[in-house]
């Protein structure tokens, strides 16, 4: 009898604990999720309703998404953003793999010094370089074009080199040593042995850079600010309101359209993201 | 044959030397994309910007040497320099610790063993995926004093909501709320660190009779300290350069893009002032001087942090 009662008590306590944990998690979860909900609801309101404190849209006005595409050159901005993000990310993957390979798997004197130099450049505030770069790009006639945002990607990126190097280090030496004895060149080792094994890291580097470019405001503001034709989404939306009047329903609709692709990307590639973040975070 | 003239040892040395120059050449080749980028997009601009910082340069006329005048003007005459410094310091001293504390708390919540843990983790991380410009625009709406749902909810509870981005004394707290919402990047690093805490030590502390709070303080936090240190350093460097969210929120609420950092300069952060000097007024020399002071301050604070880490960052014996 008493054994059963004790059992029952323990069970009840377990359930109570579980309910308490879920309540806390849901409570905090509401804080994270409610902005999404409010923004999406507002994106679906009529203009009159968006000017009230109403939360639930009535009627639902899906027309807003069409209107905002109509009023702002959002598709053009999206194309520019996509072009910059994909091309410069391809550049980063191509240009960072060989240096990362050299730092991880080739033996030469001064390797650690070079690696430290790469690391230390990550700490440098970009403000120290942007002014001469602006002068340089304007001499080249690149200001207002997408070039200043794409081409530097093809010349290495410290963070990406770091991430790839960390990953390459985890590939067992035995795998490359065997091929090296057979007379394979370093280039062959990199392309045939290391790169195929490092696909997750390469995907992570591509995604990080893609996302960074997709989201970035600062560089587009500097180099594209003078030419509305080459605006990115971030830059275009940052000027959404330049008068006293603001159409919140359209602004929120634009935000939803802007956020949707990266959120979908996140769900598709969640594992690569999280692994990438933690590899750099813990080993940093 | 020439080989007979050379002793075997010398030949070995020569072979080794040749091999070494070959590996050097090969390593150099592999590193070359980075080396070119390093020289072209880093070393050259750094040298040039250091030079510009001692000149008057408006992009149209060639730089004119003025010695330390830029630095002197900055410290003694520029009315907005100190305001920008104060605003930025506020974000570093108040905003950053709040953000990291919040990230640590949420990460700790996410280590609780519950069903559907995966979904909670995804949900908490999701806001980090929102582009900063979209997030800033969303928050100018959410925190709008008249229309926004936040003050709407507060009004329901009988609390008069503040004016947030319209009030100089509430605009930075509003910015902090925004940064808490997107603190998932730090959170996920903490979560990985928390899952790495040796369970044996926690069990041992439990047997010794330490309660949950003491276990967290004496076992979990010390073992997490390298991770906390990492987020502090990166967060510090990043916060020194606070720009996007403040720029967007300031412009959107003030409804114009000429005076930055509104309301009343309360969102005028260092990087925003530098941008305005360099790319709105085209005071390239002065902006370069501002950049070098930013660089110096960043280095100094990072060094202090590294120095202090010897006291509080716990290093595992086997690392």
């Amino acid at each position: 009898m008493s054994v059963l009662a004790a059992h029952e008590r323990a069970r009840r306590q377990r359930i109570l604990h579980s309910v308490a944990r879920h309540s806390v998690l849901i409570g905090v979860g509401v804080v994270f999720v409610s902005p999404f909900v409010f923004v999406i609801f507002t994106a679906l309101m009529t203009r009159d309703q968006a000017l009230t404190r109403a939360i639930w849209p009535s009627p639902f006005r899906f027309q807003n998404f069409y209107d905002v595409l109509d009023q702002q050159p959002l598709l053009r901005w999206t194309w520019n953003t996509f072009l910059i993000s994909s091309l410069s990310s391809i550049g980063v993957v191509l240009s960072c793999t060989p240096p990362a390979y050299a730092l991880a798997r080739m033996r030469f004197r001064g390797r650690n010094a070079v690696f430290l130099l790469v690391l230390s450049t990550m700490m440098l505030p970009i403000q120290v370089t942007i002014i001469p770069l602006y002068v340089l790009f304007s001499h080249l006639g690149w200001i207002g074009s997408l070039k200043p945002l794409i081409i530097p990607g093809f010349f290495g990126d410290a963070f990406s080199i770091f991430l790839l190097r960390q990953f390459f280090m985890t590939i067992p030496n035995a795998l490359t040593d065997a091929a090296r004895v057979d007379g394979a060149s370093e280039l062959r080792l990199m392309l045939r042995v290391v790169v195929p094994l490092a696909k997750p890291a390469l995907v992570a580097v591509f995604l990080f850079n893609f996302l960074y470019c997709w989201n970035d405001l600062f560089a587009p503001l500097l180099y594209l600010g003078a030419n509305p034709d080459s605006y990115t989404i971030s830059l275009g939306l940052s000027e959404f309101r330049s008068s006293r009047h603001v159409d919140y329903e359209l602004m929120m609709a634009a935000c939803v359209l802007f956020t949707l692709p990266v959120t979908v990307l996140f769900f598709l590639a969640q594992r690569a993201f999280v692994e990438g973040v933690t590899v750099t975070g813990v080993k940093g | 044959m020439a080989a007979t003239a050379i002793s075997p040892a010398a030949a070995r040395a020569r072979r080794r030397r040749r091999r070494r120059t070959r590996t050097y050449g090969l390593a150099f080749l592999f590193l070359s994309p980075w080396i070119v980028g390093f020289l072209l997009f880093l070393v050259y601009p750094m040298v040039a910007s250091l030079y510009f910082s001692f000149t008057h340069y408006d992009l149209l006329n060639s730089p004119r040497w003025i010695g330390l005048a830029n630095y002197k003007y900055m410290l003694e005459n520029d009315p907005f320099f100190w305001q920008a410094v104060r605003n930025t310091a506020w974000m570093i001293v108040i905003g950053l610790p709040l953000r990291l504390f919040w990230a640590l708390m949420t990460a700790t919540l996410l280590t609780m063993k519950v069903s559907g843990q995966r979904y909670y983790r995804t949900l908490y991380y999701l806001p980090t995926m929102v582009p900063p410009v979209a997030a800033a625009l969303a928050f100018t709406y959410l925190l709008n004093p008249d229309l926004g749902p936040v003050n709407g909810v507060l009004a329901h509870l009988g609390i008069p909501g503040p004016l947030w981005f319209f009030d100089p004394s509430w605009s930075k707290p509003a910015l902090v709320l925004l940064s808490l919402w997107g603190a998932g990047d730090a959170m996920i690093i903490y979560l990985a660190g928390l899952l790495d805490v040796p369970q044996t030590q926690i069990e041992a502390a439990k047997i010794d009779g330490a309660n949950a709070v003491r276990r967290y303080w004496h076992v979990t936090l010390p073992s997490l300290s390298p991770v906390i240190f990492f987020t502090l350093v990166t967060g510090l460097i990043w916060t020194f350069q606070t720009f996007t969210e403040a720029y967007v929120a300031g412009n959107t609420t003030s409804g114009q893009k000429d005076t930055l950092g509104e309301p009343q300069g309360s969102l005028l952060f260092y990087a925003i002032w530098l941008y305005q000097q360099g790319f709105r007024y085209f005071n390239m020399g002065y902006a370069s001087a501002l950049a070098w002071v930013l660089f110096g301050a960043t280095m100094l604070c990072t060094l202090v942090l590294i120095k202090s880490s010897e006291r509080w960052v716990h290093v595992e014996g086997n690392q």
Side-chain angles (χ1 to χ4, degrees):
Chain A
M1 243 345 227
S2 71
V3 176
L4 257 170
H7 207 70
E8 179 64 17
R9 220 175 23 244
R11 200 178 72 93
R12 210 176 300 156
Q13 199 159 29
R14 223 171 31 242
I15 293 175
L16 222 63
H17 266 288
S18 170
V19 167
R21 286 174 174 177
H22 276 289
S23 319
V24 174
L25 283 168
I26 291 172
V28 177
V30 166
V31 175
F32 284 115
V33 174
S34 57
F36 286 105
V37 176
F38 287 130
V39 166
I40 291 170
F41 280 172
T42 307
L44 293 169
M45 286 178 184
T46 61
R47 177 151 312 161
D48 290 340
Q49 211 196 354
L51 292 172
T52 66
R53 264 191 178 166
I55 284 168
W56 185 258
S58 70
F60 281 79
R61 193 172 185 281
F62 290 94
Q63 178 80 18
N64 286 337
F65 291 105
Y66 177 79
D67 287 352
V68 75
L69 288 174
D70 201 39
Q71 287 178 19
Q72 309 272 345
L74 206 59
L75 289 177
R76 160 125 224 150
W77 297 342
T78 308
W79 172 244
N80 291 336
T81 314
F82 177 77
L83 219 56
I84 291 169
S85 310
S86 46
L87 290 179
S88 84
S89 304
I90 290 171
V92 165
V93 170
L94 291 179
S95 67
C96 292
T97 305
Y101 179 85
L103 291 175
R105 310 202 66 105
M106 290 169 75
R107 256 186 250 142
F108 56 95
R109 237 196 347 202
R111 186 177 75 166
N112 285 337
V114 173
F115 181 58
L116 275 180
L117 195 61
V118 172
L119 282 188
S120 64
T121 62
M122 284 202 286
M123 286 178 46
L124 191 80
I126 49 168
Q127 280 79 3
V128 179
T129 58
I130 50 173
I131 288 157
L133 284 180
Y134 184 88
V135 176
L136 176 72
F137 293 145
S138 72
H139 279 309
L140 293 169
W142 287 5
I143 299 299
S145 80
L146 305 184
K147 285 179 200 146
L149 301 168
I150 295 173
I151 289 170
F154 284 80
F155 294 95
D157 165 67
F159 176 72
S160 306
I161 292 175
F162 167 64
L163 198 153
L164 287 177
R165 183 251 185 201
Q166 299 300 91
F167 197 90
F168 291 170
M169 299 279 275
T170 64
I171 295 171
N173 274 325
L175 288 174
T176 40
D177 286 346
R180 196 172 275 141
V181 169
D182 290 345
S185 67
E186 293 288 344
L187 185 68
R188 219 180 142 76
L189 287 179
M190 179 179 87
L191 293 178
R192 291 289 160 81
V193 182
V194 171
V195 164
L197 288 171
K199 253 182 216 143
L202 294 169
V203 170
V205 162
F206 182 88
L207 287 175
F208 281 141
N209 277 284
F210 190 91
L211 210 70
Y212 180 82
C213 297
W214 185 270
N215 290 342
D216 188 28
L217 172 71
F218 196 55
L221 180 67
L222 295 183
Y223 303 127
L224 308 176
N227 179 10
D229 280 342
S230 50
Y231 270 22
T232 61
I233 317 178
S234 277
L235 185 53
L237 286 190
S238 76
E239 293 177 4
F240 193 93
R241 181 201 179 176
S242 40
S243 62
R244 290 219 65 78
H245 177 66
V246 55
D247 301 324
Y248 275 122
E249 77 288 356
L250 294 185
M251 192 198 260
M252 293 305 110
C255 287
V256 171
L257 290 177
F258 185 18
T259 306
L260 210 57
V262 279
T263 320
V264 170
L265 194 70
F266 171 66
F267 279 112
L268 290 180
Q270 195 174 359
R271 256 195 50 202
F273 268 116
V274 173
E275 271 173 20
V277 171
T278 44
V279 160
T280 52
V282 174
K283 297 202 170 145
Chain B
M1 290 290 281
T4 51
I6 302 168
S7 72
R12 248 201 322 277
R14 208 174 63 178
R15 257 204 312 277
R16 206 182 307 130
R17 207 159 42 232
R18 201 181 302 150
R19 196 160 50 221
R20 200 186 296 149
T21 39
R22 217 184 54 200
T23 26
Y24 262 127
L26 209 59
F28 185 79
L29 211 65
F30 273 64
L31 287 170
S32 59
W34 174 77
I35 293 173
V36 173
F38 177 68
L39 294 176
L40 200 62
F41 298 121
L42 211 98
V43 174
Y44 154 69
M46 274 182 80
V47 173
S49 113
L50 187 61
Y51 166 68
F52 286 164
S53 77
F54 298 109
T55 66
H56 178 85
Y57 184 34
D58 59 6
L59 207 59
L60 297 174
N61 306 295
S62 48
R64 179 165 49 83
W65 184 267
I66 53 172
L68 286 170
N70 282 328
Y71 293 95
K72 207 165 133 59
Y73 175 78
M74 190 188 306
L75 299 175
E76 290 172 6
N77 301 86
D78 182 349
F80 295 108
F81 171 78
W82 288 110
Q83 188 172 20
V85 168
R86 274 196 303 275
N87 286 335
T88 311
W90 193 97
M91 285 308 275
I92 289 169
V93 176
I94 298 172
L96 178 63
L98 275 175
R99 182 176 200 272
L100 296 184
F101 181 71
W102 169 250
L104 183 58
M105 290 299 105
T106 48
T108 307
L109 286 183
L110 290 178
T111 58
M112 294 197 301
K113 288 186 180 55
V114 292
S115 53
Q117 190 187 49
R118 230 161 62 83
Y119 300 100
Y120 286 116
R121 288 180 182 173
T122 306
L123 220 60
Y124 283 28
Y125 186 72
L126 202 56
T128 312
M129 297 303 296
V130 177
V133 172
L137 289 178
F139 267 67
T140 58
Y141 165 68
L142 295 170
L143 297 175
N144 184 292
D146 302 323
L147 311 171
V150 172
N151 277 13
V153 170
L154 288 178
H156 266 295
L157 302 173
I159 305 166
L163 296 177
W164 300 112
F165 284 118
F166 290 90
D167 180 346
S169 50
W170 280 95
S171 56
K172 280 190 284 288
L175 213 56
V176 170
L177 285 186
L178 171 55
S179 87
L180 297 186
W181 186 58
D185 51 349
M187 180 187 77
I188 204 130
I189 291 172
Y190 288 149
L191 182 58
L194 286 168
L195 297 177
D196 263 357
V197 174
Q199 283 305 308
T200 48
Q201 286 184 24
I202 298 207
E203 290 304 323
K206 209 182 263 176
I207 290 165
D208 289 347
N211 63 26
V213 175
R214 286 179 65 90
R215 285 201 300 270
Y216 195 78
W217 187 255
H218 290 289
V219 181
T220 308
L221 281 185
S223 123
L224 200 63
S225 58
V227 181
I228 295 176
F229 174 69
F230 171 77
T231 55
L232 256 180
V233 171
T234 51
L236 180 78
I237 294 172
W238 193 238
T239 311
F240 261 113
Q241 300 175 52
T242 304
F243 184 86
T244 302
E245 286 86 348
Y247 174 87
V248 174
N251 286 5
T252 306
T253 41
S254 72
Q256 45 92 19
K257 52 175 214 161
D258 295 325
T259 313
L260 302 179
E262 292 290 281
Q264 289 172 40
S266 63
L267 294 185
L268 188 76
F269 294 103
Y270 197 94
I272 292 184
W273 183 230
L274 193 156
Y275 165 76
Q276 184 156 12
Q277 282 292 339
F279 298 90
R280 293 290 174 83
Y281 305 155
F282 289 99
N283 290 328
M284 294 297 202
Y286 186 55
S288 296
L290 284 170
W292 276 90
V293 169
L294 175 67
F295 183 33
T298 308
M299 289 293 284
L300 194 70
C301 289
T302 309
L303 285 180
V304 168
L305 207 56
I306 290 172
K307 200 84 198 133
S308 83
S309 74
E310 288 160 14
R311 290 163 181 267
W312 61 272
V313 173
H314 176 83
V315 183
E316 287 289 333
N318 57 6
Q319 271 184 346

PDB file of all heavy atoms in Angstrom, chain B residues 201-217:
ATOM      1  N   GLN B 201      31.848  15.827 -12.384  1.00  0.00           N
ATOM      2  CA  GLN B 201      32.088  16.869 -11.373  1.00  0.00           C
ATOM      3  C   GLN B 201      30.776  17.323 -10.743  1.00  0.00           C
ATOM      4  O   GLN B 201      30.704  17.586  -9.542  1.00  0.00           O
ATOM      5  CB  GLN B 201      32.770  18.077 -12.026  1.00  0.00           C
ATOM      6  CG  GLN B 201      34.235  17.810 -12.334  1.00  0.00           C
ATOM      7  CD  GLN B 201      34.922  19.036 -12.886  1.00  0.00           C
ATOM      8  OE1 GLN B 201      34.483  20.163 -12.649  1.00  0.00           O
ATOM      9  NE2 GLN B 201      35.986  18.831 -13.624  1.00  0.00           N
ATOM     10  N   ILE B 202      29.723  17.412 -11.589  1.00  0.00           N
ATOM     11  CA  ILE B 202      28.422  17.828 -11.067  1.00  0.00           C
ATOM     12  C   ILE B 202      27.898  16.768 -10.103  1.00  0.00           C
ATOM     13  O   ILE B 202      27.408  17.084  -9.009  1.00  0.00           O
ATOM     14  CB  ILE B 202      27.436  18.058 -12.228  1.00  0.00           C
ATOM     15  CG1 ILE B 202      27.972  19.189 -13.098  1.00  0.00           C
ATOM     16  CG2 ILE B 202      26.044  18.336 -11.697  1.00  0.00           C
ATOM     17  CD1 ILE B 202      26.952  19.959 -13.852  1.00  0.00           C
ATOM     18  N   GLU B 203      28.064  15.493 -10.476  1.00  0.00           N
ATOM     19  CA  GLU B 203      27.613  14.404  -9.607  1.00  0.00           C
ATOM     20  C   GLU B 203      28.367  14.437  -8.280  1.00  0.00           C
ATOM     21  O   GLU B 203      27.788  14.277  -7.210  1.00  0.00           O
ATOM     22  CB  GLU B 203      27.838  13.051 -10.296  1.00  0.00           C
ATOM     23  CG  GLU B 203      26.917  12.792 -11.482  1.00  0.00           C
ATOM     24  CD  GLU B 203      25.438  12.898 -11.127  1.00  0.00           C
ATOM     25  OE1 GLU B 203      25.061  12.472 -10.008  1.00  0.00           O
ATOM     26  OE2 GLU B 203      24.671  13.430 -11.945  1.00  0.00           O
ATOM     27  N   ALA B 204      29.685  14.673  -8.395  1.00  0.00           N
ATOM     28  CA  ALA B 204      30.508  14.715  -7.184  1.00  0.00           C
ATOM     29  C   ALA B 204      30.027  15.833  -6.261  1.00  0.00           C
ATOM     30  O   ALA B 204      29.897  15.644  -5.039  1.00  0.00           O
ATOM     31  CB  ALA B 204      31.974  14.929  -7.552  1.00  0.00           C
ATOM     32  N   ALA B 205      29.720  16.994  -6.856  1.00  0.00           N
ATOM     33  CA  ALA B 205      29.254  18.125  -6.050  1.00  0.00           C
ATOM     34  C   ALA B 205      27.914  17.792  -5.416  1.00  0.00           C
ATOM     35  O   ALA B 205      27.623  18.181  -4.279  1.00  0.00           O
ATOM     36  CB  ALA B 205      29.135  19.377  -6.917  1.00  0.00           C
ATOM     37  N   LYS B 206      27.090  17.051  -6.165  1.00  0.00           N
ATOM     38  CA  LYS B 206      25.770  16.669  -5.658  1.00  0.00           C
ATOM     39  C   LYS B 206      25.942  15.773  -4.428  1.00  0.00           C
ATOM     40  O   LYS B 206      25.265  15.937  -3.417  1.00  0.00           O
ATOM     41  CB  LYS B 206      25.012  15.936  -6.764  1.00  0.00           C
ATOM     42  CG  LYS B 206      23.497  16.103  -6.678  1.00  0.00           C
ATOM     43  CD  LYS B 206      22.789  15.326  -7.774  1.00  0.00           C
ATOM     44  CE  LYS B 206      22.436  16.176  -8.965  1.00  0.00           C
ATOM     45  NZ  LYS B 206      21.827  15.408 -10.057  1.00  0.00           N
ATOM     46  N   ILE B 207      26.869  14.829  -4.536  1.00  0.00           N
ATOM     47  CA  ILE B 207      27.108  13.910  -3.418  1.00  0.00           C
ATOM     48  C   ILE B 207      27.624  14.668  -2.206  1.00  0.00           C
ATOM     49  O   ILE B 207      27.265  14.397  -1.063  1.00  0.00           O
ATOM     50  CB  ILE B 207      28.106  12.802  -3.845  1.00  0.00           C
ATOM     51  CG1 ILE B 207      27.407  11.875  -4.846  1.00  0.00           C
ATOM     52  CG2 ILE B 207      28.596  12.007  -2.638  1.00  0.00           C
ATOM     53  CD1 ILE B 207      28.334  10.974  -5.605  1.00  0.00           C
ATOM     54  N   ASP B 208      28.442  15.698  -2.484  1.00  0.00           N
ATOM     55  CA  ASP B 208      28.950  16.520  -1.384  1.00  0.00           C
ATOM     56  C   ASP B 208      27.858  17.402  -0.784  1.00  0.00           C
ATOM     57  O   ASP B 208      28.121  18.159   0.156  1.00  0.00           O
ATOM     58  CB  ASP B 208      30.102  17.421  -1.874  1.00  0.00           C
ATOM     59  CG  ASP B 208      31.337  16.596  -2.161  1.00  0.00           C
ATOM     60  OD1 ASP B 208      31.358  15.426  -1.743  1.00  0.00           O
ATOM     61  OD2 ASP B 208      32.263  17.115  -2.806  1.00  0.00           O
ATOM     62  N   GLY B 209      26.657  17.361  -1.345  1.00  0.00           N
ATOM     63  CA  GLY B 209      25.533  18.086  -0.770  1.00  0.00           C
ATOM     64  C   GLY B 209      25.373  19.505  -1.261  1.00  0.00           C
ATOM     65  O   GLY B 209      24.684  20.306  -0.637  1.00  0.00           O
ATOM     66  N   ALA B 210      26.018  19.846  -2.393  1.00  0.00           N
ATOM     67  CA  ALA B 210      25.847  21.195  -2.924  1.00  0.00           C
ATOM     68  C   ALA B 210      24.493  21.294  -3.624  1.00  0.00           C
ATOM     69  O   ALA B 210      24.132  20.405  -4.400  1.00  0.00           O
ATOM     70  CB  ALA B 210      26.970  21.503  -3.911  1.00  0.00           C
ATOM     71  N   ASN B 211      23.749  22.372  -3.361  1.00  0.00           N
ATOM     72  CA  ASN B 211      22.458  22.514  -4.029  1.00  0.00           C
ATOM     73  C   ASN B 211      22.651  23.044  -5.453  1.00  0.00           C
ATOM     74  O   ASN B 211      23.775  23.339  -5.874  1.00  0.00           O
ATOM     75  CB  ASN B 211      21.519  23.417  -3.212  1.00  0.00           C
ATOM     76  CG  ASN B 211      22.065  24.833  -3.084  1.00  0.00           C
ATOM     77  OD1 ASN B 211      22.825  25.291  -3.931  1.00  0.00           O
ATOM     78  ND2 ASN B 211      21.689  25.505  -2.012  1.00  0.00           N
ATOM     79  N   ALA B 212      21.550  23.146  -6.194  1.00  0.00           N
ATOM     80  CA  ALA B 212      21.636  23.457  -7.620  1.00  0.00           C
ATOM     81  C   ALA B 212      22.357  24.777  -7.865  1.00  0.00           C
ATOM     82  O   ALA B 212      23.192  24.886  -8.765  1.00  0.00           O
ATOM     83  CB  ALA B 212      20.242  23.498  -8.230  1.00  0.00           C
ATOM     84  N   VAL B 213      22.050  25.789  -7.044  1.00  0.00           N
ATOM     85  CA  VAL B 213      22.655  27.102  -7.249  1.00  0.00           C
ATOM     86  C   VAL B 213      24.162  27.023  -7.013  1.00  0.00           C
ATOM     87  O   VAL B 213      24.967  27.543  -7.807  1.00  0.00           O
ATOM     88  CB  VAL B 213      22.021  28.143  -6.302  1.00  0.00           C
ATOM     89  CG1 VAL B 213      22.729  29.481  -6.430  1.00  0.00           C
ATOM     90  CG2 VAL B 213      20.536  28.288  -6.602  1.00  0.00           C
ATOM     91  N   ARG B 214      24.573  26.348  -5.938  1.00  0.00           N
ATOM     92  CA  ARG B 214      26.005  26.238  -5.646  1.00  0.00           C
ATOM     93  C   ARG B 214      26.726  25.412  -6.715  1.00  0.00           C
ATOM     94  O   ARG B 214      27.852  25.733  -7.085  1.00  0.00           O
ATOM     95  CB  ARG B 214      26.209  25.594  -4.266  1.00  0.00           C
ATOM     96  CG  ARG B 214      25.888  26.543  -3.128  1.00  0.00           C
ATOM     97  CD  ARG B 214      26.078  25.844  -1.795  1.00  0.00           C
ATOM     98  NE  ARG B 214      27.486  25.489  -1.568  1.00  0.00           N
ATOM     99  CZ  ARG B 214      28.346  26.302  -0.969  1.00  0.00           C
ATOM    100  NH1 ARG B 214      27.958  27.475  -0.538  1.00  0.00           N
ATOM    101  NH2 ARG B 214      29.588  25.928  -0.776  1.00  0.00           N
ATOM    102  N   ARG B 215      26.054  24.367  -7.194  1.00  0.00           N
ATOM    103  CA  ARG B 215      26.663  23.558  -8.261  1.00  0.00           C
ATOM    104  C   ARG B 215      26.884  24.423  -9.496  1.00  0.00           C
ATOM    105  O   ARG B 215      27.927  24.360 -10.138  1.00  0.00           O
ATOM    106  CB  ARG B 215      25.749  22.378  -8.632  1.00  0.00           C
ATOM    107  CG  ARG B 215      25.750  21.266  -7.617  1.00  0.00           C
ATOM    108  CD  ARG B 215      25.266  19.962  -8.253  1.00  0.00           C
ATOM    109  NE  ARG B 215      23.914  20.069  -8.794  1.00  0.00           N
ATOM    110  CZ  ARG B 215      22.813  19.808  -8.107  1.00  0.00           C
ATOM    111  NH1 ARG B 215      22.883  19.453  -6.840  1.00  0.00           N
ATOM    112  NH2 ARG B 215      21.637  19.905  -8.687  1.00  0.00           N
ATOM    113  N   TYR B 216      25.889  25.255  -9.813  1.00  0.00           N
ATOM    114  CA  TYR B 216      25.995  26.103 -10.991  1.00  0.00           C
ATOM    115  C   TYR B 216      27.153  27.080 -10.818  1.00  0.00           C
ATOM    116  O   TYR B 216      27.959  27.289 -11.720  1.00  0.00           O
ATOM    117  CB  TYR B 216      24.678  26.867 -11.192  1.00  0.00           C
ATOM    118  CG  TYR B 216      24.546  27.497 -12.559  1.00  0.00           C
ATOM    119  CD1 TYR B 216      24.211  26.725 -13.656  1.00  0.00           C
ATOM    120  CD2 TYR B 216      24.745  28.863 -12.741  1.00  0.00           C
ATOM    121  CE1 TYR B 216      24.091  27.281 -14.914  1.00  0.00           C
ATOM    122  CE2 TYR B 216      24.634  29.428 -14.004  1.00  0.00           C
ATOM    123  CZ  TYR B 216      24.300  28.635 -15.082  1.00  0.00           C
ATOM    124  OH  TYR B 216      24.191  29.196 -16.321  1.00  0.00           O
ATOM    125  N   TRP B 217      27.237  27.676  -9.626  1.00  0.00           N
ATOM    126  CA  TRP B 217      28.241  28.710  -9.361  1.00  0.00           C
ATOM    127  C   TRP B 217      29.648  28.122  -9.281  1.00  0.00           C
ATOM    128  O   TRP B 217      30.599  28.711  -9.787  1.00  0.00           O
ATOM    129  CB  TRP B 217      27.866  29.439  -8.071  1.00  0.00           C
ATOM    130  CG  TRP B 217      28.731  30.626  -7.795  1.00  0.00           C
ATOM    131  CD1 TRP B 217      29.727  30.716  -6.872  1.00  0.00           C
ATOM    132  CD2 TRP B 217      28.691  31.893  -8.458  1.00  0.00           C
ATOM    133  NE1 TRP B 217      30.303  31.945  -6.920  1.00  0.00           N
ATOM    134  CE2 TRP B 217      29.691  32.704  -7.884  1.00  0.00           C
ATOM    135  CE3 TRP B 217      27.895  32.426  -9.495  1.00  0.00           C
ATOM    136  CZ2 TRP B 217      29.920  34.007  -8.299  1.00  0.00           C
ATOM    137  CZ3 TRP B 217      28.142  33.724  -9.900  1.00  0.00           C
ATOM    138  CH2 TRP B 217      29.131  34.493  -9.315  1.00  0.00           C
TER     139      TRP B 217
END
